[in-house]
PDB file of all heavy atoms in Angstrom:
ATOM      1  N   ARG A 221      47.233  -3.270 -99.926  1.00 85.00           N
ATOM      2  CA  ARG A 221      46.624  -2.888-101.150  1.00 85.00           C
ATOM      3  C   ARG A 221      45.586  -1.818-101.095  1.00 85.00           C
ATOM      4  O   ARG A 221      45.237  -1.092-101.922  1.00 85.00           O
ATOM      5  CB  ARG A 221      45.924  -4.182-101.821  1.00 85.00           C
ATOM      6  CG  ARG A 221      46.928  -5.229-102.181  1.00 85.00           C
ATOM      7  CD  ARG A 221      47.559  -4.975-103.536  1.00 85.00           C
ATOM      8  NE  ARG A 221      48.713  -5.810-103.770  1.00 85.00           N
ATOM      9  CZ  ARG A 221      48.982  -6.423-104.899  1.00 85.00           C
ATOM     10  NH1 ARG A 221      48.114  -6.370-105.952  1.00 85.00           N
ATOM     11  NH2 ARG A 221      50.104  -7.180-105.021  1.00 85.00           N
ATOM     12  N   LYS A 222      44.921  -1.865 -99.794  1.00 90.00           N
ATOM     13  CA  LYS A 222      43.974  -0.835 -99.516  1.00 90.00           C
ATOM     14  C   LYS A 222      44.364  -0.217 -98.157  1.00 90.00           C
ATOM     15  O   LYS A 222      45.042  -0.803 -97.328  1.00 90.00           O
ATOM     16  CB  LYS A 222      42.594  -1.474 -99.367  1.00 90.00           C
ATOM     17  CG  LYS A 222      42.027  -1.950-100.660  1.00 90.00           C
ATOM     18  CD  LYS A 222      40.671  -2.594-100.478  1.00 90.00           C
ATOM     19  CE  LYS A 222      40.101  -3.198-101.715  1.00 90.00           C
ATOM     20  NZ  LYS A 222      38.984  -3.999-101.376  1.00 90.00           N
ATOM     21  N   THR A 223      43.841   1.002 -97.941  1.00 91.00           N
ATOM     22  CA  THR A 223      44.172   1.670 -96.672  1.00 91.00           C
ATOM     23  C   THR A 223      43.304   1.090 -95.552  1.00 91.00           C
ATOM     24  O   THR A 223      42.331   0.379 -95.820  1.00 91.00           O
ATOM     25  CB  THR A 223      43.836   3.149 -96.786  1.00 91.00           C
ATOM     26  OG1 THR A 223      42.411   3.370 -96.878  1.00 91.00           O
ATOM     27  CG2 THR A 223      44.469   3.825 -98.000  1.00 91.00           C
ATOM     28  N   ASN A 224      43.730   1.397 -94.326  1.00 93.00           N
ATOM     29  CA  ASN A 224      42.906   0.887 -93.139  1.00 93.00           C
ATOM     30  C   ASN A 224      41.472   1.288 -93.268  1.00 93.00           C
ATOM     31  O   ASN A 224      40.597   0.488 -92.902  1.00 93.00           O
ATOM     32  CB  ASN A 224      43.599   1.524 -91.886  1.00 93.00           C
ATOM     33  CG  ASN A 224      44.932   0.950 -91.699  1.00 93.00           C
ATOM     34  OD1 ASN A 224      45.387   0.076 -92.288  1.00 93.00           O
ATOM     35  ND2 ASN A 224      45.638   1.550 -90.651  1.00 93.00           N
ATOM     36  N   ASP A 225      41.221   2.568 -93.572  1.00 95.00           N
ATOM     37  CA  ASP A 225      39.828   3.009 -93.607  1.00 95.00           C
ATOM     38  C   ASP A 225      39.024   2.279 -94.753  1.00 95.00           C
ATOM     39  O   ASP A 225      37.843   2.024 -94.586  1.00 95.00           O
ATOM     40  CB  ASP A 225      39.757   4.558 -93.874  1.00 95.00           C
ATOM     41  CG  ASP A 225      40.219   5.287 -92.575  1.00 95.00           C
ATOM     42  OD1 ASP A 225      40.113   4.694 -91.510  1.00 95.00           O
ATOM     43  OD2 ASP A 225      40.705   6.485 -92.757  1.00 95.00           O
ATOM     44  N   GLU A 226      39.667   2.085 -95.824  1.00 95.00           N
ATOM     45  CA  GLU A 226      38.960   1.297 -96.899  1.00 95.00           C
ATOM     46  C   GLU A 226      38.582  -0.119 -96.441  1.00 95.00           C
ATOM     47  O   GLU A 226      37.552  -0.682 -96.650  1.00 95.00           O
ATOM     48  CB  GLU A 226      39.803   1.234 -98.219  1.00 95.00           C
ATOM     49  CG  GLU A 226      39.871   2.506 -98.966  1.00 95.00           C
ATOM     50  CD  GLU A 226      40.985   2.460-100.035  1.00 95.00           C
ATOM     51  OE1 GLU A 226      41.859   1.705 -99.997  1.00 95.00           O
ATOM     52  OE2 GLU A 226      40.828   3.293-101.019  1.00 95.00           O
ATOM     53  N   LEU A 227      39.586  -0.764 -95.756  1.00 96.00           N
ATOM     54  CA  LEU A 227      39.361  -2.171 -95.264  1.00 96.00           C
ATOM     55  C   LEU A 227      38.313  -2.172 -94.269  1.00 96.00           C
ATOM     56  O   LEU A 227      37.414  -3.046 -94.197  1.00 96.00           O
ATOM     57  CB  LEU A 227      40.718  -2.699 -94.666  1.00 96.00           C
ATOM     58  CG  LEU A 227      41.779  -2.952 -95.672  1.00 96.00           C
ATOM     59  CD1 LEU A 227      43.110  -3.270 -94.932  1.00 96.00           C
ATOM     60  CD2 LEU A 227      41.451  -4.057 -96.692  1.00 96.00           C
ATOM     61  N   ARG A 228      38.217  -1.183 -93.352  1.00 97.00           N
ATOM     62  CA  ARG A 228      37.276  -1.116 -92.295  1.00 97.00           C
ATOM     63  C   ARG A 228      35.893  -0.967 -92.883  1.00 97.00           C
ATOM     64  O   ARG A 228      34.925  -1.636 -92.471  1.00 97.00           O
ATOM     65  CB  ARG A 228      37.602   0.078 -91.380  1.00 97.00           C
ATOM     66  CG  ARG A 228      36.803   0.034 -90.114  1.00 97.00           C
ATOM     67  CD  ARG A 228      37.259   0.957 -89.019  1.00 97.00           C
ATOM     68  NE  ARG A 228      38.350   1.893 -89.357  1.00 97.00           N
ATOM     69  CZ  ARG A 228      39.593   1.783 -88.957  1.00 97.00           C
ATOM     70  NH1 ARG A 228      39.946   0.794 -88.136  1.00 97.00           N
ATOM     71  NH2 ARG A 228      40.455   2.696 -89.482  1.00 97.00           N
ATOM     72  N   GLN A 229      35.751  -0.093 -93.889  1.00 98.00           N
ATOM     73  CA  GLN A 229      34.492   0.061 -94.582  1.00 98.00           C
ATOM     74  C   GLN A 229      34.019  -1.268 -95.241  1.00 98.00           C
ATOM     75  O   GLN A 229      32.808  -1.670 -95.157  1.00 98.00           O
ATOM     76  CB  GLN A 229      34.572   1.207 -95.629  1.00 98.00           C
ATOM     77  CG  GLN A 229      33.277   1.500 -96.308  1.00 98.00           C
ATOM     78  CD  GLN A 229      32.349   2.240 -95.325  1.00 98.00           C
ATOM     79  OE1 GLN A 229      32.638   3.283 -94.792  1.00 98.00           O
ATOM     80  NE2 GLN A 229      31.130   1.629 -95.073  1.00 98.00           N
ATOM     81  N   GLN A 230      34.978  -1.923 -95.858  1.00 97.00           N
ATOM     82  CA  GLN A 230      34.650  -3.184 -96.481  1.00 97.00           C
ATOM     83  C   GLN A 230      34.125  -4.221 -95.451  1.00 97.00           C
ATOM     84  O   GLN A 230      33.185  -4.932 -95.673  1.00 97.00           O
ATOM     85  CB  GLN A 230      35.949  -3.693 -97.195  1.00 97.00           C
ATOM     86  CG  GLN A 230      35.756  -5.079 -97.942  1.00 97.00           C
ATOM     87  CD  GLN A 230      37.091  -5.568 -98.437  1.00 97.00           C
ATOM     88  OE1 GLN A 230      38.013  -4.846 -98.561  1.00 97.00           O
ATOM     89  NE2 GLN A 230      37.081  -6.909 -98.714  1.00 97.00           N
ATOM     90  N   PHE A 231      34.827  -4.268 -94.295  1.00 98.00           N
ATOM     91  CA  PHE A 231      34.411  -5.184 -93.231  1.00 98.00           C
ATOM     92  C   PHE A 231      32.996  -4.852 -92.769  1.00 98.00           C
ATOM     93  O   PHE A 231      32.136  -5.771 -92.568  1.00 98.00           O
ATOM     94  CB  PHE A 231      35.400  -5.085 -92.080  1.00 98.00           C
ATOM     95  CG  PHE A 231      35.048  -5.908 -90.844  1.00 98.00           C
ATOM     96  CD1 PHE A 231      35.039  -7.269 -90.893  1.00 98.00           C
ATOM     97  CD2 PHE A 231      34.585  -5.276 -89.691  1.00 98.00           C
ATOM     98  CE1 PHE A 231      34.684  -8.041 -89.751  1.00 98.00           C
ATOM     99  CE2 PHE A 231      34.189  -6.027 -88.557  1.00 98.00           C
ATOM    100  CZ  PHE A 231      34.234  -7.366 -88.598  1.00 98.00           C
ATOM    101  N   ILE A 232      32.702  -3.599 -92.531  1.00 98.00           N
ATOM    102  CA  ILE A 232      31.437  -3.199 -92.053  1.00 98.00           C
ATOM    103  C   ILE A 232      30.339  -3.501 -93.047  1.00 98.00           C
ATOM    104  O   ILE A 232      29.256  -4.160 -92.762  1.00 98.00           O
ATOM    105  CB  ILE A 232      31.390  -1.675 -91.678  1.00 98.00           C
ATOM    106  CG1 ILE A 232      32.276  -1.381 -90.507  1.00 98.00           C
ATOM    107  CG2 ILE A 232      29.958  -1.219 -91.409  1.00 98.00           C
ATOM    108  CD1 ILE A 232      32.566   0.012 -90.206  1.00 98.00           C
ATOM    109  N   ASP A 233      30.577  -3.220 -94.278  1.00 98.00           N
ATOM    110  CA  ASP A 233      29.553  -3.380 -95.336  1.00 98.00           C
ATOM    111  C   ASP A 233      29.293  -4.927 -95.500  1.00 98.00           C
ATOM    112  O   ASP A 233      28.175  -5.305 -95.783  1.00 98.00           O
ATOM    113  CB  ASP A 233      30.037  -2.841 -96.650  1.00 98.00           C
ATOM    114  CG  ASP A 233      30.059  -1.290 -96.678  1.00 98.00           C
ATOM    115  OD1 ASP A 233      29.488  -0.754 -95.734  1.00 98.00           O
ATOM    116  OD2 ASP A 233      30.701  -0.707 -97.518  1.00 98.00           O
ATOM    117  N   GLN A 234      30.299  -5.647 -95.251  1.00 97.00           N
ATOM    118  CA  GLN A 234      30.016  -7.173 -95.434  1.00 97.00           C
ATOM    119  C   GLN A 234      29.445  -7.814 -94.135  1.00 97.00           C
ATOM    120  O   GLN A 234      28.660  -8.755 -94.304  1.00 97.00           O
ATOM    121  CB  GLN A 234      31.391  -7.812 -95.867  1.00 97.00           C
ATOM    122  CG  GLN A 234      31.770  -9.105 -95.072  1.00 97.00           C
ATOM    123  CD  GLN A 234      33.259  -9.503 -95.410  1.00 97.00           C
ATOM    124  OE1 GLN A 234      33.895  -9.086 -96.344  1.00 97.00           O
ATOM    125  NE2 GLN A 234      33.794 -10.292 -94.522  1.00 97.00           N
ATOM    126  N   THR A 235      29.662  -7.202 -93.036  1.00 98.00           N
ATOM    127  CA  THR A 235      29.234  -7.817 -91.807  1.00 98.00           C
ATOM    128  C   THR A 235      27.814  -7.467 -91.378  1.00 98.00           C
ATOM    129  O   THR A 235      27.096  -8.268 -90.760  1.00 98.00           O
ATOM    130  CB  THR A 235      30.229  -7.513 -90.612  1.00 98.00           C
ATOM    131  OG1 THR A 235      31.578  -7.839 -91.076  1.00 98.00           O
ATOM    132  CG2 THR A 235      30.041  -8.344 -89.396  1.00 98.00           C
ATOM    133  N   VAL A 236      27.447  -6.234 -91.662  1.00 98.00           N
ATOM    134  CA  VAL A 236      26.090  -5.760 -91.243  1.00 98.00           C
ATOM    135  C   VAL A 236      24.935  -6.697 -91.717  1.00 98.00           C
ATOM    136  O   VAL A 236      24.146  -7.065 -91.003  1.00 98.00           O
ATOM    137  CB  VAL A 236      25.832  -4.296 -91.664  1.00 98.00           C
ATOM    138  CG1 VAL A 236      24.437  -3.871 -91.293  1.00 98.00           C
ATOM    139  CG2 VAL A 236      26.846  -3.399 -90.891  1.00 98.00           C
TER     140      VAL A 236
END
Side-chain angles (χ1 to χ4, degrees):
Chain A
R221 296 274 165 139
K222 290 181 184 168
T223 68
N224 293 349
D225 288 335
E226 286 169 337
L227 293 172
R228 193 166 8 252
Q229 186 69 60
Q230 185 187 337
F231 175 71
I232 292 168
D233 290 346
Q234 134 187 341
T235 309
V236 174

